[in-house]
Each structure stands twice: as C-alpha cells, then as structure tokens.
Amino acid sequence: MSEISQSGKAGSFNSEGLRDPNYTPPLGTAIPLGIQHVLAMFAGNVTVPIIIAGAAGLAGGDKVFLIQVAMLVAGLATLLQTVGAGPIGARLPIMQGTSFAFLPVMIPIAASVKGTDALAIIFGATIVGGIFHFFLGTFIGRFRGILPPLVTGLVVATIGLTLLPIGVEYVGGGKFAKFVTKDFGAWYHLVLGCSVIVIILGVKFMTKGMTSASAILIGLVAGYLMAIPMDMVKFSGISDAAWFAFPEPLKFGLKFETAAIIGMCLMAIVSAIETVGDISGITKGGAGREATDKEIAGGTMADGLGTAIGGLFGSMPNTSYSQNVGVVSLTGVMSRHVVTIGAIFLLVAAFVPKVGAIVSAMPYAVLGGGAVVMFGMIAGAGINLLSDVKMNRRNMVIIAVSLSVGLGLKAEPGVVGIFPDWAKMMLTSGLFPVAFLSILLNSILPQEKD
C-alpha cells in the first residue's frame, strides 16, 4: 500500500493522489470522507432488515439484532473489498451493505412462514447463495463482453423500479400494515412521509459537501424527531437495549429449502451483474478508466464471501452500494483507505445495540419517505449507466422487451401460475427476467450499422 503522495511526502494531502486507490490521505482528511461514505449508505443498510422484520412479524430484540448484524457484516464485507485477502476483494473504494436486490426472494418467505423460522430459511439460502456468488467471481471476468452498460444499466434501474412500491406503501404506514391495521394511509402517515421527502430534497439541493451527501440520513433524523410529539415512536425497546453486546452467530438457526436456495442463487447472478456495473462505475467516475478483470473478479468474490459470512451471523445478502459509487464519482476520491475507515465506524456501531434499537423504533412512514428517494436514486443510477448506450433501434428494442416482460410479470404474477413455486418466484421478481432477456437479446440480435 502506497503512502506517498505525488508530491513525494508521506501522508500529505494531495487532491490528485486521492484519485489513486492506494493513496493514503492524512487522518484529518480521511476520517470525514469515510464518515461521508457511512452516512450515504447507512439508511439503505438498515432498511432491508427492517423490511424483512416487518414481513416476518418480528419486533423488539429480534429486530434490533438484525440491524446490529447488518452493520457488523457491512463493515466486514467492506474490509474484504478495500483491504482484500489474496485474490478476494477489488481493492477499490467499494462500500458494502445489505442488498435490495434479494428482497423479491426474501419477502415472500418472510410473509408466508413468519417468525424466526422464516429467518432460518433465509439465512440458510443466503449462505448457499453467497458461496455460489463467490464462485461466480472466479470466472465472471471472462464474460465481461456480455455485461455491457446496456445490461448492467437495465439491471440496476429495474432494482429501483421494482422496489418503489415498497417505499410508497411504507409512506402509507407500513408494507404489511394495510393488511393488519386500520390506519394504513392515514393522514399522519402521509404527512410524515411526505415531510421526509421534502426535507431530503431541500437538504440535497440547498446545501453542499458532506451535508448534501447526508441528505437522506438528515431527512430520516428530522422525520424521526417530528414523529416523537405525534406519539409515533415507541421508546420501550430503546431503554431495554444493552449498551454493548457481541452479535451471536447462528442465533436463529439454519434451514435449507430448495426453492429459497434456487431463488438466492439466481438472484446472486443478478447481484453479480450489479456489482460489475458498480465496479465499472467507480473506476470510470473516479479514475477515468475501465475496471480490470482482476478488480471485477476480486470484487465479485468479496461480494459472495461477505454474503456467506452474513448468513452465518444472521444478516441479509450483501452487495456493493450504488449510492457510494455516486459519492466517489462526485468527490473524485478514489482512496480505498477512506472507505476502510468507514467500515471501521460500522464495526464499532455494530457492538452497541442501543444504536439498533433507536433505528428500529423509526416509524414506517419516516422510513418510507427515505426509501422512496433511495429506491428512486437506484433507478436513476441505472438510467445513468444507460446514458452511455447508443439509443438505436436495436438497443431500444432490447430495453423495451426486457422491461416490458420483467415488470409486466411482476405486476401480474398470475400469468405464470402454472409454473412451480421456485420458477414463479424468479419469473415474478422483475430482476431475473430483465437480466436474462437483456443478456440473451444483446447476444443474439445483430448490431446495427452506423
């Protein structure tokens, strides 16, 4: 690891040096930049366990535990990317966190099985899916040709588009609240959720620097504070939570069910494609170059290993975070050691259950306001990748067919009712059909002449 800036002085600040992944900036610069990465991904990282906890009907200590482990595994998986271990890790400023892409697989399991049994099935499938994802990384570099921006952009955009309804339902009071409570869509939920969106937009576009980059977190904190006088925050779980605790591996046990495992493995392919897009986005946006095969292979293997480790500890599948790709592109800071500092902050927070308890007490409407913006930004990141694609008739047809079939089957799942459960899960996920069709059509349709 290089600690010499281009000016030749060890550890001195150098704006050009920050574009080098191996450059080590002074702590006074690295710490605030690392915190900025944590702020950009923190809300997204805890959103997935909160959604799954709600779907499975969990509350209290179990919900706090899932948030605590999400921070722990995100920190460990990020270190795999930035520090690396042998061939594992891209050694780039890649922030890891719980993956939204796997929600279409996990939500049906959590909603139908309920309780800790659902978590045991999810974590068993997560371990197998993570191992499968790891082995994808050993050869994915050979298939870069079939994963151009047309494919990766469609996949990332679809992730955001398929998740948007969840964010909107949370604004109404909770993804599953409308089935079990009478206040879904009540005015106070809508006012709170919309207020969070307005605050996020105001902070994002009326401030600069770290404040602007932390707009989502600031919006969630503001909404949280607004909800307190509205008596929508329950403090009992916060007072009961410990100040320090070590996350217990295999707390919920493991169950291995074929349909869940198949779903996780197929989604691992989609997640790997997303990771290729993120790595390419970081090297292009931060250093103005294409990613190497070694970076793509190492990054994908780290994705898979982080996911498998997460399943052992009780965390959802992990992936590279697209919003942090945006931070790198915006700041031009390519130093991987900056993100390493962010990972250390996550690890420290993971051992303080009070943090998880405070987050778990957040009203669904507040979370929904942030989720609407987050999911929309993911879709926007995909559209940004597509902006590099030449919009001729061939590519327009690929985009049209892939999105129409993928989103159409998700909107009307009854069309594939004759298929077995595992096939229905994949065909109605939105992501898998889009990824499969875009790769297939891009491979077989002839290129148009200029």
Side-chain angles (χ1 to χ4, degrees), residues 219-397:
L220 292 177
V221 171
Y224 197 107
L225 296 176
M226 289 174 59
I228 293 175
M230 298 171 69
D231 196 28
M232 296 176 67
V233 179
K234 308 303 178 185
F235 290 101
S236 57
I238 299 174
S239 58
D240 294 340
W243 279 105
F244 177 84
F246 187 83
E248 177 186 348
L250 300 175
K251 177 178 180 179
F252 302 109
L254 298 173
K255 291 185 179 180
F256 299 93
E257 292 199 359
T258 303
I261 290 173
I262 292 174
M264 283 289 186
C265 289
L266 291 175
M267 278 302 164
I269 299 174
V270 176
S271 180
I273 295 172
E274 180 189 5
T275 298
V276 171
D278 286 342
I279 294 173
S280 300
I282 282 179
T283 57
K284 184 176 181 181
R289 63 172 176 84
E290 294 295 325
T292 65
D293 289 349
K294 183 178 180 181
E295 288 169 339
I296 286 178
T300 307
M301 284 191 284
D303 244 17
L305 183 58
T307 292
I309 292 173
L312 288 172
F313 275 95
S315 174
M316 316 301 166
N318 258 248
T319 192
S320 56
Y321 258 37
S322 298
Q323 48 264 55
N324 290 87
V325 176
V327 172
V328 172
S329 299
L330 183 66
T331 63
V333 178
M334 276 289 287
S335 172
R336 59 191 172 105
H337 306 303
V338 163
V339 178
T340 297
I341 290 176
I344 294 172
F345 275 98
L346 284 173
L347 292 175
V348 172
F351 293 99
V352 185
K354 286 283 187 187
V355 175
I358 292 170
V359 174
S360 70
M362 184 184 302
Y364 282 123
V366 174
L367 183 65
V372 166
V373 179
M374 283 188 288
F375 298 159
M377 288 176 67
I378 294 173
I383 294 172
N384 186 47
L385 286 170
L386 289 173
S387 67
D388 292 333
V389 177
K390 184 176 182 180
M391 290 300 171
N392 54 27
R393 288 179 299 175
R394 173 190 181 272
N395 293 338
M396 288 292 288
V397 166

Side-chain angles (χ1 to χ4, degrees), residues 111-129:
S112 59
V113 179
K114 294 291 186 182
T116 57
D117 286 342
L119 296 181
I121 295 171
I122 289 173
F123 297 143
T126 296
I127 292 174
V128 178

Side-chain angles (χ1 to χ4, degrees), residues 175-191:
K175 165 67 176 168
F176 300 94
K178 65 180 180 181
F179 300 115
V180 295
T181 67
K182 296 180 180 179
D183 70 341
F184 181 80
W187 67 268
Y188 42 88
H189 291 311
L190 300 179
V191 168

